[in-house]
Amino acid sequence: MDWFIRLQSKPDDDRTRHDFARWRDAHVAHDEAFRRIERLMAMPSLHEASRRDAARLAKSPRPETRRSWTKYAAAMAAALLIVVGYLQYPALLLRWQADHMTAPGERKILTLPDGSLIELNTSSAVALDFAGGRRRLSLLAGEVFFDVKPDSAHPFTVTTRFSETTVKGTAFSIRTGDDEDMILLAHGRVAVSRLADRSSMVEIDPGQFVTADAAAISEVRTAALDMALAWRDGRVVFREEAFAKALSELDRYYVGSVVIANEQLETMKISGSYRIDDPRTAILTLAAAIGAKEARFPGGLIILY
């Protein structure tokens, strides 16, 4: 939205266009986000609402100064609605698609129609398809631990953004994000394939994990199960982890926002076990451990420097 407004206000500024092109090419997510803004702004309903509002204002008998202010206020309100709509659109779409979901900081255990159990971590969403003997689940966001009831005649399949995991009876976790999926096996055996290329498939053993993205499935690696699944016990565990990465992990459970204003803090190493049922205290404890100062603001904003 920031780049869209800049380009609208300075359409012929070469420096602005050059900087925008560099930002847009830096990551595929940037290009996707900007395209979504363009589609939103091109919606006929938005143009029709603007046209009706302009017609209504044109008929207003208010003095010119008052009318100018009203037009300005209406334009600002419309811009605000567009921004809010853009920011809320992914969350609304997720709600429409999901059968079950959790809020930031919330965890939930559910029994599926076949008797399998799933445990949803913070900010997670799933959609179910168990009709006609099928056992299919789509992980739309977040992280879920699966304890699948054995049924050799009906494989249990989990689809995520980049991959599909198939099992007949086992326990494993999957975490999906914008850039990759991570599949971790606790016990049993699973087969993981890429959605874009079903022939690209690997099998993993207990204590192993793989990641899948738009390009490939990673090599099989060994996992530290006590750390990777600590969230099921209400904790996150770090061992010589970069502060920025540790903070981003805790931030998943926090309903506010945390900003690092001192780049030197980002690479400092941190170790410890932190509770996720009180993420704000965990974040401040983590920051204090490396000597970071804090500034707190309304709305849950925390700035570390």
Side-chain angles (χ1 to χ4, degrees), residues 74-276:
M76 291 298 292
L80 179 61
L81 286 173
I82 291 169
V83 173
V84 171
Y86 170 69
L87 294 175
Q88 293 298 320
Y89 175 75
L92 291 174
L93 182 61
L94 202 61
R95 287 185 179 276
W96 292 334
Q97 294 176 319
D99 291 307
H100 302 282
M101 60 191 307
T102 53
E106 181 186 12
R107 288 178 292 136
K108 185 185 298 183
I109 298 177
L110 301 170
T111 301
L112 299 180
D114 68 336
S116 299
L117 297 177
I118 60 173
E119 185 172 356
L120 282 70
N121 199 1
T122 179
S123 301
S124 300
V126 296
L128 309 180
D129 179 8
F130 280 74
R134 291 189 295 273
R135 297 203 298 170
R136 299 186 64 87
L137 183 147
S138 296
L139 176 54
L140 306 173
E143 182 174 22
V144 175
F145 182 85
F146 300 84
D147 191 351
V148 178
K149 185 177 181 179
D151 184 349
S152 58
H154 301 91
F156 189 99
T157 302
V158 181
T159 302
T160 46
R161 181 167 185 175
F162 302 104
S163 62
E164 184 174 85
T165 301
T166 304
V167 303
K168 294 183 178 179
T170 187
F172 62 102
S173 73
I174 301 181
R175 178 170 171 175
T176 188
D178 293 336
D179 300 321
E180 68 176 18
D181 303 327
M182 184 179 77
I183 300 91
L184 169 70
L185 184 61
H187 62 77
R189 193 172 182 86
V190 300
V192 182
S193 60
R194 288 180 59 233
L195 291 180
D197 180 9
R198 298 305 176 100
S199 64
S200 177
M201 185 194 68
V202 298
E203 293 188 350
I204 56 178
D205 294 321
Q208 296 180 333
F209 76 98
V210 294
T211 59
D213 57 25
I217 296 178
S218 73
E219 62 181 15
V220 176
R221 288 171 280 183
T222 301
L225 290 179
D226 61 328
M227 293 177 58
L229 299 177
W231 63 269
R232 299 185 62 214
D233 296 321
R235 309 192 72 87
V236 291
V237 180
F238 306 117
R239 294 175 187 163
E240 289 297 304
E241 187 66 82
F243 176 71
K245 188 173 181 180
L247 184 62
S248 67
E249 185 66 21
L250 278 173
D251 197 25
R252 297 170 60 208
Y253 302 89
Y254 184 53
V255 294
S257 299
V258 185
V259 176
I260 302 177
N262 183 349
E263 293 182 356
Q264 294 181 349
L265 300 176
E266 296 182 355
T267 56
M268 296 181 69
K269 301 299 181 181
I270 194 78
S271 297
S273 177
Y274 299 85
R275 295 195 59 82
I276 56 179

